[in-house]
Amino acid sequence: MGHMKTPQKPATGNENPLLAEWSGAFGLPPFGSIRTEHFRPAFNCALAGHRAEIDAIAANPEAPSFANTIEALEKSGRALERVASLFFALAGADTSDEIEAIEREVSPLLARHNNALYLNRALYSRVADLHARRDTLSLDLEQARVLERYHTRFLRFGAALEKTAQERLAEINERLASLGTRFSQNVLADEKSFAMELEETDLAGLPDFARAAAGAAATERGRPGKYVITLARSSVETFLQFSARRDLREKVFQAWIRRGENGGDTDNRALIAEMVALRAERARLLGFASFADYRLDDEMAKTPQAARALLDEVWKRALKKAAAERDALQEMIAREGGNFALAPHDWRYYAEKLRKARYDLDESQIKPYFQLEKMIEAAFAAAGRLFGLSFRPVEVALYHPDARAWEVTDAQGRHVALFIGDYFARSSKHSGAWMTALRDQEKLAGNIRPIVLNVCNFSKPAAGGPALLSFDDARTLFHEFGHALHGMLSDVTYPLLAGTAVPSDFVELPSQLYEHWLEVPEILQTYAVHAYTGEPMPKGLLERLLATRTFNQGFATVEYTACALVDLDLHSLPDAPALDIAAFEREALERIAMPPEIVMRHRLPHFQHLFSGGGYAAGYYSYMWSEVLDADAFAAFEEAGNTFDPATARRLRDCIYSAGNRRDPAEAYKAFRGRLPTVDALLKKRGLVEATSSR
Ligand SMILES: [Zn+2]
């Protein structure tokens, strides 16, 4: 796949392993010989190579054809793609001060490079010419889609605008790229700088697994014998759920919700104000009323109004359910003789107690049944039943000892993909969980199969002990694995359309849908086995666990939907001069009557979905939009009377998991389901239906 058509030998030429084709097993990068200092020269060389390719395509004296323009674009930039995908995988999963420094330098360079590509007039006029003649070019459906996508991209980038507007857009894009990098590094810095060190006597209420994880975190920090709570979601949330120490819960909760809002160098508020203003300006230059209008025009939802209509529908039901939940928690506090009003740092603690009382179920009783190893097996097994995939562990050199690899094959034993799982939290890793690819699937440059990564932040067990997950962690594992399947099963010709390259309100369908198979009784019966006794989860416990699925869903829905509504509000501003972010957030929450006992799942100063690169800016509603799809899609299996129904699974694979962006998402969904989705299955799944009937 080497596409350095103009081989310019840089000074470091032959010694830089990043500039050669990847020669590792399964096409992996040669991790053993890559050093951080290789990235700068590799980026420089790969950028120059791609620039030369683009110039050659734009200056081609022959009349534009699909082959000499669109296919040529698709074949270009391979070295850059390789270097960038590896670099950003490491910047997320195993970063360092040096990598962060390179990231700050490179992100504006990449933005400038993208500007040069999509604001290139000669190139755009070739694409526009082809687009105008598209019906006469004898293109197949996939080719027509690639052409359409390129044309839309150029237009949305501003290729058709006059020169001064283009220059301003280029400036805006570069500035946004730098700001996004700084935003994300600031959040990581605030997370790293906080560690709540505890003594044995401070651990009241914490179950064994939580003590073990806090002990391991202390050891990792060179404080053996102590206990440390960090701002990793799994560490904080576990503590909030179990700690009987109200003072400590408040302390860690305050640190958690103030990430990016602590004043000083790592404060993100001014960055956000600038980003919002720049995005609004970009949208105006491109002829849209607001950034949200611009963003959603190219999504499945099409308009902010459509997204908001769904959120409003869910919001009013969620508020009612959350109010009932709050009353039950307050009652519990009163029964215990507590003389205080439920605060945000109390919610998870009392919810856990109520869950235990109501369902005779507590997290520490469930947790031994969710071993990381077994949950990985479970995710693989479901993929075997649905799509005929097999997974074989392979020994290959990777970037960190905690990362592991499996070769994925299909029912005929053919190679499908390489899958890498990197599951444990560490200080060199950004928070959250995500899927990324070191290589995408395509057939244009030969039968290229993908290399896909899942990165999570589960607590690492103390040496020798089993890694135990919460039920939520297990769900996260299935979620990211659903994204991984979307990448691994991809079966398209053109890389532009591969795998997860779909609109962001559609991309969560394969991941959220996959979560449903964790909850299928036969999967739980087989893989939820006790870490110490090897016994499967007793039937009664399993039933009670599944019965709790709608427990506390008012809280979860409010916590999420508030974020989606504030995001849409913020990005619907037609202009944002000198925006006071704290005031904006407060007022936006007042407008929707946010309950004071609940804090947004991601407050604006650390809302990485919106500001670390902007992948979900004006797009956080996507999770709910996709949930409408996933709930409705899973109902297709229930209607078939078999959660692994082969015919339904076949359609799911053909129309969704392997289809990439070959067609419009609404059409793809209709091909799978025979109709567009309805919101009913979602409301039922979240236990919000009762509110419907009482309306
Ligand atoms: Zn996802």
Side-chain angles (χ1 to χ4, degrees), residues 184-502:
S184 144
Q185 293 183 352
N186 286 345
V187 176
L188 185 62
D190 276 7
E191 287 174 358
K192 270 181 168 169
S193 70
F194 178 91
M196 185 169 74
E197 188 174 301
L198 303 176
E199 304 290 336
E200 180 90 40
T201 49
D202 297 323
L203 306 183
L206 294 195
D208 290 344
F209 76 85
R211 287 166 187 252
T219 306
E220 201 199 302
R221 279 168 180 72
R223 303 286 291 160
K226 305 281 183 187
Y227 300 86
V228 161
I229 304 303
T230 71
L231 294 185
R233 184 170 282 274
S234 60
S235 182
V236 182
E237 284 193 330
T238 303
F239 191 80
L240 291 172
Q241 201 176 353
F242 293 106
S243 173
R245 288 280 299 274
R246 193 165 190 243
D247 58 331
L248 297 178
R249 288 202 309 265
E250 181 169 14
K251 188 177 167 198
V252 72
F253 187 77
Q254 286 302 326
W256 197 36
I257 65 171
R258 302 233 176 277
R259 285 170 295 154
E261 199 189 40
N262 291 309
D265 288 349
T266 60
D267 196 302
N268 273 331
R269 284 170 292 186
L271 267 59
I272 297 174
E274 190 181 348
M275 288 176 94
V276 171
L278 289 172
R279 283 171 180 163
E281 186 185 349
R282 180 165 75 180
R284 275 199 310 279
L285 286 168
L286 290 164
F288 290 88
S290 73
F291 181 78
D293 286 282
Y294 164 71
R295 172 66 194 256
L296 272 70
D297 190 55
D298 199 34
E299 301 286 347
M300 188 174 172
K302 301 289 181 227
T303 65
Q305 292 71 28
R308 186 175 293 274
L310 169 66
L311 295 173
D312 286 344
E313 181 79 20
V314 171
W315 180 251
K316 58 185 182 222
R317 292 179 167 84
L319 277 184
K320 259 191 203 171
K321 189 154 199 280
E325 289 168 5
R326 178 203 55 214
D327 293 347
L329 299 181
Q330 190 66 60
E331 213 173 279
M332 182 164 229
I333 292 171
R335 262 204 315 276
E336 289 187 350
N339 186 24
F340 56 85
L342 181 78
H345 52 268
D346 298 321
W347 191 296
R348 287 173 176 80
Y349 178 69
Y350 287 98
E352 176 60 24
K353 280 193 158 192
L354 184 61
R355 186 163 78 130
K356 192 174 174 184
R358 213 177 259 178
Y359 300 93
D360 186 22
L361 199 69
D362 71 84
E363 183 80 26
S364 61
Q365 187 187 0
I366 302 164
K367 195 139 182 167
Y369 290 99
F370 290 98
Q371 302 171 63
L372 172 63
E373 293 308 310
K374 288 287 172 189
M375 289 302 110
I376 295 171
E377 270 182 51
F380 289 173
R385 301 257 325 246
L386 289 166
F387 306 123
L389 299 179
S390 303
F391 297 80
R392 180 177 66 89
V394 288
E395 286 295 326
V396 288
L398 296 170
Y399 56 91
H400 189 278
D402 283 348
R404 292 184 280 165
W406 290 265
E407 185 189 11
V408 187
T409 49
D410 67 11
Q412 285 77 44
R414 288 174 303 209
H415 177 82
V416 170
L418 190 74
F419 174 68
I420 297 170
D422 178 2
Y423 295 107
F424 295 127
R426 57 177 169 262
S427 53
S428 67
K429 205 187 256 187
H430 283 235
S431 55
W434 61 93
M435 167 273 196
T436 186
L438 290 177
R439 186 169 75 182
D440 288 325
Q441 182 272 331
E442 64 160 300
K443 288 185 268 194
L444 195 59
N447 183 23
I448 306 294
R449 297 305 314 172
I451 301 174
V452 169
L453 259 102
N454 271 176
V455 184
C456 301
N457 269 286
F458 303 141
S459 298
K460 196 171 183 173
L468 299 179
L469 306 181
S470 67
F471 195 41
D472 274 350
D473 288 341
R475 199 177 283 125
T476 298
L477 187 145
F478 269 67
H479 178 100
E480 297 309 329
F481 193 68
H483 282 308
L485 287 170
H486 199 194
M488 296 193 292
L489 289 170
S490 178
D491 183 24
V492 302
T493 300
Y494 295 93
L496 184 78
L497 306 179
T500 52
V502 297

Side-chain angles (χ1 to χ4, degrees), residues 100-131:
E100 290 198 345
I102 300 174
E103 201 182 354
R104 284 190 297 271
E105 277 173 43
V106 157
S107 53
L109 286 184
L110 289 174
R112 200 172 306 156
H113 182 73
N114 245 355
N115 287 337
L117 169 57
Y118 288 106
L119 296 176
N120 183 319
R121 275 173 192 286
L123 194 54
Y124 170 65
S125 69
R126 293 179 78 88
V127 173
D129 172 64
L130 288 169
H131 188 256

Side-chain angles (χ1 to χ4, degrees), residues 68-96:
N68 74 17
T69 304
I70 300 298
E71 275 193 1
L73 280 172
E74 282 287 273
K75 287 176 179 166
S76 72
R78 295 310 176 90
L80 180 58
E81 183 66 39
R82 262 198 321 264
V83 175
S85 60
L86 173 60
F87 178 77
F88 287 106
L90 294 178
D94 199 25
T95 191
S96 63

